[in-house]
Amino acid sequence: MRHYVKEEIESLEKIYRLNLINGISGYKPANLIGTVSEKGITNLAINSSVVHLGSKPAILGFIIRPATVPRHTLENIRKTGVYSINHVHLAFTDKAHYTSAKFDKDVSEFQKAGLTIEFLDDFKAPYVKESEIKIGVKLQEELKIKSNGTYLIVGEIQHIYLPEEIIGKNGILDLNLVEDVCISGLNTYHSVVSVAEYPYARPGDFPIGI
Ligand SMILES: Cc1cc2nc3c(=O)[nH]c(=O)nc-3n(C[C@H](O)[C@H](O)[C@H](O)COP(=O)(O)O)c2cc1C
């Protein structure tokens, strides 16, 4: 068993530490954040930190790293107040990953990565046509994480688009049907196998009676 202590983690070689610490939180969702600049240039960036914050109101969060280098996604969200979150599927993990390259502000990652821009229902942010699950989100809050200067972007869901056939009983989604992928570390994409589905857990319900 390998045991790392804080001081050792801090003194690890940079790339080693990046990989280790980015992997240690476990599997993460794979999403593409779609935005548009004031000038109308679309932007797309892969993101592995989208998190559910609450269902009433329906709010999602995601982490954006500090603006020490230009962050087009953050700039665009601040200016327009909207963004889209698009699930990544098995068929286009390569294209999704490529959106993380540092392109100039006047270059659209949609075009560079070969993904298709889709505008729906007058929402200002672009969606990814190839994505089967698309969410239109309105910025609510931008919270600075004091510990490292990153931002938690909090937004309220305005629109959800997804195939009827993946919506099961009581709204439970079958993400396997659209071959959703997840991410580990900084650059590994995984297919997911579902292993069980349980009812709402209540004390005393455990199957082997513990
Ligand atoms: C697998 C993966 C996950 C990523 N997740 C995040 C993330 O959660 N937050 C973030 O700020 N950047 C994340 N990035 C980096 C952004 O995709 C990258 O900085 C991108 O160039 C930002 O584009 P922008 O300058 O157009 O906003 C991730 C990159 C990869 C490859």
Side-chain angles (χ1 to χ4, degrees):
M1 167 86 75
R2 187 74 165 88
H3 173 204
Y4 291 97
V5 293
K6 176 177 147 54
E7 293 72 22
E8 196 183 353
I9 294 169
E10 285 166 359
S11 65
L12 287 171
E13 189 271 321
K14 186 183 167 196
I15 302 295
Y16 191 96
R17 188 180 65 236
L18 267 176
N19 286 321
L20 181 75
I21 302 304
N22 272 282
I24 207 67
S25 63
Y27 293 116
K28 301 171 279 190
N31 288 290
L32 285 160
I33 310 284
T35 57
V36 65
S37 72
E38 273 182 318
K39 281 189 185 163
I41 297 164
T42 56
N43 189 276
L44 195 63
I46 181 81
N47 182 287
S48 61
S49 58
V50 171
V51 61
H52 163 87
L53 292 175
S55 50
K56 198 179 175 197
I59 50 174
L60 296 172
F62 73 91
I63 296 290
I64 273 220
R65 307 220 177 88
T68 43
V69 292
R71 292 281 171 198
H72 306 138
T73 303
L74 185 56
E75 258 176 69
N76 292 349
I77 293 174
R78 282 174 173 162
K79 291 268 163 62
T80 63
V82 287
Y83 49 100
S84 72
I85 297 177
N86 307 265
H87 285 214
V88 176
H89 310 304
L90 197 55
F92 61 88
T93 52
D94 49 355
K95 293 176 176 174
H97 188 73
Y98 191 52
T99 65
S100 64
K102 287 185 178 56
F103 295 106
D104 284 346
K105 196 176 162 58
D106 56 359
V107 169
S108 172
E109 289 85 358
F110 278 96
Q111 196 226 326
K112 287 285 166 196
L115 291 163
T116 316
I117 298 168
E118 184 173 42
F119 283 103
L120 296 169
D121 297 311
D122 291 328
F123 197 67
K124 211 171 168 193
Y127 296 99
V128 177
K129 193 174 174 72
E130 289 79 359
S131 177
E132 300 269 15
I133 304 180
K134 311 177 229 271
I135 311 162
V137 188
K138 180 167 157 270
L139 176 67
Q140 292 291 122
E141 289 179 68
E142 182 187 298
L143 305 171
K144 188 161 182 173
I145 310 289
K146 288 194 216 107
S147 308
N148 66 356
T150 55
Y151 295 94
L152 173 65
I153 305 296
V154 178
E156 183 169 9
I157 297 178
Q158 310 291 305
H159 301 275
I160 297 176
Y161 301 92
L162 73 180
E164 196 79 58
E165 57 275 21
I166 77 163
I167 311 171
K169 198 169 147 240
N170 293 332
I172 294 174
L173 298 182
D174 186 342
L175 302 177
N176 280 142
L177 280 181
V178 286
E179 299 188 312
D180 252 28
V181 294
C182 65
I183 294 172
S184 68
L186 280 168
N187 50 20
T188 311
Y189 294 77
H190 304 257
S191 282
V192 181
V193 178
S194 43
V195 292
E197 190 182 309
Y198 301 114
Y200 182 83
R202 292 185 176 77
D205 276 356
F206 196 68
I208 55 171
I210 290 176

